[in-house]
Amino acid sequence: MVLISLLLVLASVTCYQSGLDVYLARAISNLEGDSGGFPWEHSFWLDDVLHEGGRYLVKRLFFLNLALLLFSYFIKPLRTWRMAFLYVAITTVASTTIVSILKHLTTLPCPVVLTEFGGSREWVSLGQMFAPEIPAGRCFPAGHASAGYAWICLAFLFPFGTRKFYLALIPGLLLGMIFGICQQFRGYHFLSHDIATLAVCWAISGLLAHSPGVAAAASARTRRKSLSLEESSR
């Protein structure tokens, strides 16, 4: 799992250093018109529906998970999933919080603020990512994408590499990709920003999934399921 996070970080660096980020941003800008900027920045579908509506959706998902955690103290069938609900709550908060902290520490700017796209800021190299003399970019990693990618933690409730793992990975990946592409078309992020966000969320999800409490709860659920199957086969 650590290897996957490292590969994602490498992919993010490659996108930034190779010029792929700027190439895609130019292509998106040209697709939107010849203004040199991002006219779809405040469009109804991208801003109101996918950006603000996306925030609304993930907040509701988070509170639904908290409700299930609370109900697990009163509804017997939910008890075996109590630690899983707690893990999801902690992991989603940790992922989005760490991404937000990094955004306020790093200096890499968003496409929309670069002079090439009508803004006032110049390109910043990776070597200047934490340079104190450069204002914080508040753009790297991607904050909105983290609201989606944080939910890849659902996959880590199941053994890595199993069918259930990959199926549970789909919701988080889809949400993260949709939110990320939305922000790219609005000019608020490069591709590398979204990949870096996925790397952070993957690392946090994997790390917390291996905490003693979560691992023990997963093992207990597996044992109960095995016993249930044995009893039903008798």
Side-chain angles (χ1 to χ4, degrees), residues 11-219:
S12 176
V13 171
T14 300
C15 288
Y16 197 85
Q17 292 292 92
S18 67
L20 179 60
D21 274 349
V22 175
Y23 174 81
L24 291 176
R26 286 173 184 160
I28 291 171
S29 178
N30 293 335
L31 183 65
E32 296 181 20
D34 56 2
S35 65
F38 298 90
W40 294 349
E41 178 182 354
H42 301 294
S43 75
F44 170 76
W45 290 105
L46 295 181
D47 190 5
D48 295 344
V49 176
L50 292 179
H51 186 225
E52 295 302 326
R55 285 180 175 177
Y56 180 90
L57 172 63
V58 294
K59 284 179 181 179
R60 295 306 178 272
L61 290 174
F62 178 77
F63 286 119
L64 173 61
N65 179 72
L66 283 185
L68 291 171
L69 175 59
L70 177 62
F71 293 154
S72 70
Y73 287 92
F74 307 100
I75 302 175
K76 190 174 182 179
L78 293 178
R79 289 179 187 174
T80 57
W81 289 93
R82 183 182 301 162
M83 188 58 68
F85 297 140
L86 180 61
Y87 161 74
V88 170
I90 293 174
T91 305
T92 51
V93 170
S95 295
T96 53
T97 299
I98 290 176
V99 167
S100 179
I101 291 172
L102 288 172
K103 281 181 61 176
H104 287 79
L105 292 177
T106 57
T107 61
L108 305 187
C110 300
V112 73
V113 303
L114 292 174
T115 53
E116 179 175 348
F117 300 106
S120 59
R121 294 195 58 178
E122 298 296 331
W123 181 261
V124 176
S125 69
L126 284 178
Q128 299 174 302
M129 185 186 298
F130 296 102
E133 67 275 11
I134 300 177
R138 298 188 178 184
C139 196
F140 179 88
H144 193 47
S146 72
Y149 284 134
W151 292 91
I152 63 172
C153 65
L154 295 173
F156 291 83
L157 295 174
F158 306 99
F160 179 76
T162 62
R163 184 171 180 271
K164 288 183 178 180
F165 178 91
Y166 291 120
L167 287 175
L169 196 60
I170 293 174
L173 286 179
L174 279 179
L175 279 177
M177 289 176 63
I178 291 171
F179 292 166
I181 292 172
C182 161
Q183 292 297 79
Q184 287 180 49
F185 271 82
R186 295 183 66 224
Y188 279 90
H189 287 294
F190 288 116
L191 175 61
S192 63
H193 298 184
D194 294 327
I195 297 175
T197 295
L198 177 56
V200 171
C201 293
W202 184 281
I204 294 172
S205 296
L207 179 64
L208 293 181
H210 284 84
S211 62
V214 176
S219 178

